Amino acid sequence: MRNMKKVSLWGWILCGLFLMALAFANDSWSAPPEKELKIGCIVALSGPGAAWGIPLKTGLEIGFEEINAAGGIKTSKVVYKPRIFAEDDQLKGELGITKLNKLLYTDRIDPIVYILASPTVLAAQSVTTPRKIVTIFGGQTDFEPQKNPYTFRSLTFHYMHQDSSFKWFKENLPAIKKVALLSPDYSSGRDCGRVFKQIAKKYDYQLNSEDYFLFQTTDFTPILTKLLPKNPDMLNIGATTPGQAALIVKQARELGFTGPIYGATKQDIFTIVDVAGAAADNFYSNILVPDSPGLPQKFMGFYEKYVKRMGKWQDVATMTHRTAYEIKAAIEAAGSLEPDKLRDGYKKIKMDSVDGPVHYGSPYGTQAYYPVPMARVEKGKPKFLGIYDPGILTEAEYHWKPEGSK
């Protein structure tokens, strides 16, 4: 009887130990808690830049929706569910800083913000760099990456666009010798001019004329009537917004210019076609054309979702859909939102995307690299010309300045 009591006692002890172990195991095996991840987004949602800003906001939203539907951004301690907090800066730096302060102090975003406008990012870095806020920049100006290690350019730099494009022009349109530059008068537009001078020297083009216009310009006839008598073979319209690009194309054709016109930054080629009609023929830009052979594998699925939501396709939307997955990759590599780890996680990005394979590299490890597409309008429709390797952008190429400039 005594032995039976001992067995019974040991049985209860073992049972208790088993239940305790099971409780601890369940606690250690439980999924990490979920937490909302507040991502700031400052883009132009009104004014000339809205043709960029609205699709950029939408691309980011769709990307985050997909990520959340698949379980979120997973780390060992937290599963983040990203949410976008968007503000309109109208491409104006002063307004952009006001919007950044709202995001930081009212919305209390996490240390990640996407910014499109060059004036806004240049002003914002006085805040974002010392506070170690990872700033994802979708514009083209020189943001001094050597001084701002938490800012990442998520767009291929316009050196890459112009280098790939003018190499193609040299091989396929050898009659082009003289190029007129016409770009908006702000930091990205001016920097596009600096870069083209570098490209012109590399591929032996003559800069026929150089003009800059205000953002509110809609009548380009005065500028065009000044530059067209110089007989350029091509117009390079630099960092012009899609709506203004369409007006330049239409008005240049009305004044008799029949040569190629090139948009040296991301354009909305369907807006060009809609506004300029038949005059849009012979317009070139660095965009992907839906339903074309040779597109990145993930492109068409996103394209279909975007058109279903917005009713039409807008070319720049791929940029921020890719950015959503870059944020995911960076956080999962970092394992947290600790700024230095997050910065290092961004530099480690190497993944596939709607734009094709993407990674970050030179200069300073903060420049996005992915294939540069090229397209032109033929018979009123965009035609895809292919995808090209942008090559490595060296620090010397990035910092190049024309002789005599400061």
Side-chain angles (χ1 to χ4, degrees):
M1 190 71 175
R2 182 182 295 177
N3 289 338
M4 289 182 65
K5 286 183 177 179
K6 286 183 178 179
V7 170
S8 178
L9 179 62
W10 279 109
W12 282 108
I13 292 172
L14 290 171
C15 183
L17 290 171
F18 175 76
L19 290 173
M20 288 174 66
L22 187 63
F24 280 113
N26 283 339
D27 183 63
S28 63
W29 292 342
S30 61
E34 290 186 0
K35 183 180 178 181
E36 182 178 71
L37 178 67
K38 297 180 177 182
I39 305 292
C41 176
I42 305 174
V43 294
L45 300 175
S46 60
W52 283 330
I54 291 172
L56 289 171
K57 173 178 174 285
T58 306
L60 198 58
E61 288 172 340
I62 293 174
F64 285 158
E65 288 167 9
E66 292 173 350
I67 289 168
N68 287 336
I73 300 173
K74 301 171 184 177
T75 70
S76 60
K77 295 181 179 180
V78 181
V79 174
Y80 292 104
K81 293 297 184 81
R83 176 186 168 197
I84 183 175
F85 286 73
E87 294 292 336
D88 177 14
D89 69 352
Q90 301 175 17
L91 298 184
K92 299 174 182 177
E94 191 173 308
L95 180 58
I97 283 294
T98 300
K99 300 296 186 177
L100 176 64
N101 286 330
K102 176 182 179 297
L103 290 171
L104 292 175
Y105 301 111
T106 301
D107 298 319
R108 302 186 70 82
I109 61 168
D110 289 297
I112 305 172
V113 62
Y114 179 91
I115 298 176
L116 167 63
S118 298
T120 296
V121 84
L122 293 175
Q125 286 179 137
S126 63
V127 176
T128 58
T129 296
R131 289 189 56 170
K132 297 185 177 182
I133 296 169
V134 170
T135 303
I136 305 160
F137 177 39
Q140 291 289 16
T141 199
D142 175 16
F143 63 89
E144 297 188 301
Q146 70 276 21
K147 299 178 182 178
N148 296 285
Y150 297 91
T151 301
F152 291 80
R153 192 195 309 275
S154 63
L155 170 67
T156 41
F157 189 47
H158 48 202
Y159 178 94
M160 302 170 180
H161 292 175
Q162 296 193 67
D163 186 55
S164 296
S165 299
F166 280 93
K167 181 180 179 182
W168 189 94
F169 293 141
K170 196 73 176 177
E171 293 170 354
N172 294 276
L173 302 176
I176 295 174
K177 304 293 183 184
K178 299 180 293 183
V179 180
L181 177 70
L182 179 58
S183 194
D185 192 7
Y186 76 122
S187 51
S188 286
R190 290 279 177 175
D191 200 57
C192 191
R194 175 190 70 85
V195 168
F196 177 67
K197 291 171 186 175
Q198 186 178 11
I199 298 299
K201 184 177 181 181
K202 181 176 181 178
Y203 292 109
D204 194 27
Y205 286 100
Q206 177 188 340
L207 179 58
N208 186 256
S209 64
E210 181 179 3
D211 292 278
Y212 298 90
F213 59 86
L214 299 177
F215 259 129
Q216 60 266 35
T217 303
T218 55
D219 182 7
F220 294 92
T221 302
I223 299 176
L224 291 169
T225 53
K226 183 182 78 169
L227 68 84
L228 290 180
K230 298 178 183 179
N231 298 315
D233 300 316
M234 169 184 275
L235 298 184
N236 179 350
I237 58 172
T240 302
T241 63
Q244 290 175 309
L247 292 173
I248 291 173
V249 171
K250 188 173 186 293
Q251 292 169 24
R253 299 299 189 220
E254 288 170 349
L255 291 170
F257 183 73
T258 60
I261 301 175
Y262 169 58
T265 191
K266 285 273 190 179
Q267 284 293 339
D268 183 355
I269 205 165
F270 290 96
T271 294
I272 308 294
V273 171
D274 289 345
V275 173
D281 282 5
N282 216 11
F283 176 82
Y284 292 79
S285 189
N286 302 112
I287 57 94
L288 298 166
V289 179
D291 296 311
S292 299
L295 292 172
Q297 188 175 3
K298 295 187 176 183
F299 173 80
M300 284 305 298
F302 170 61
Y303 163 78
E304 290 165 0
K305 286 182 182 178
Y306 188 92
V307 172
K308 184 176 181 181
R309 175 172 299 191
M310 301 299 289
K312 65 176 183 177
W313 175 240
Q314 293 171 291
D315 299 306
V316 299
T318 59
M319 287 171 50
T320 45
H321 183 273
R322 171 172 47 80
T323 294
Y325 283 91
E326 290 177 359
I327 291 171
K328 178 179 185 293
I331 293 174
E332 290 181 345
S336 73
L337 297 182
E338 196 279 315
D340 289 337
K341 291 181 179 178
L342 189 55
R343 175 203 59 199
D344 294 344
Y346 230 96
K347 289 184 175 183
K348 294 175 183 176
I349 289 172
K350 190 174 183 179
M351 65 180 209
D352 197 15
S353 75
V354 293
D355 283 318
V358 59
H359 70 277
Y360 278 76
S362 176
Y364 308 103
T366 57
Q367 171 62 57
Y369 283 81
Y370 53 89
V372 175
M374 197 162 175
R376 72 171 167 229
V377 180
E378 293 184 5
K379 298 180 180 178
K381 294 183 179 180
K383 180 181 178 180
F384 189 50
L385 299 175
I387 294 179
Y388 302 91
D389 181 358
I392 301 299
L393 176 64
T394 66
E395 291 181 16
E397 288 169 331
Y398 182 80
H399 291 295
W400 181 91
K401 291 183 179 180
E403 291 182 11
S405 64
K406 295 181 180 180

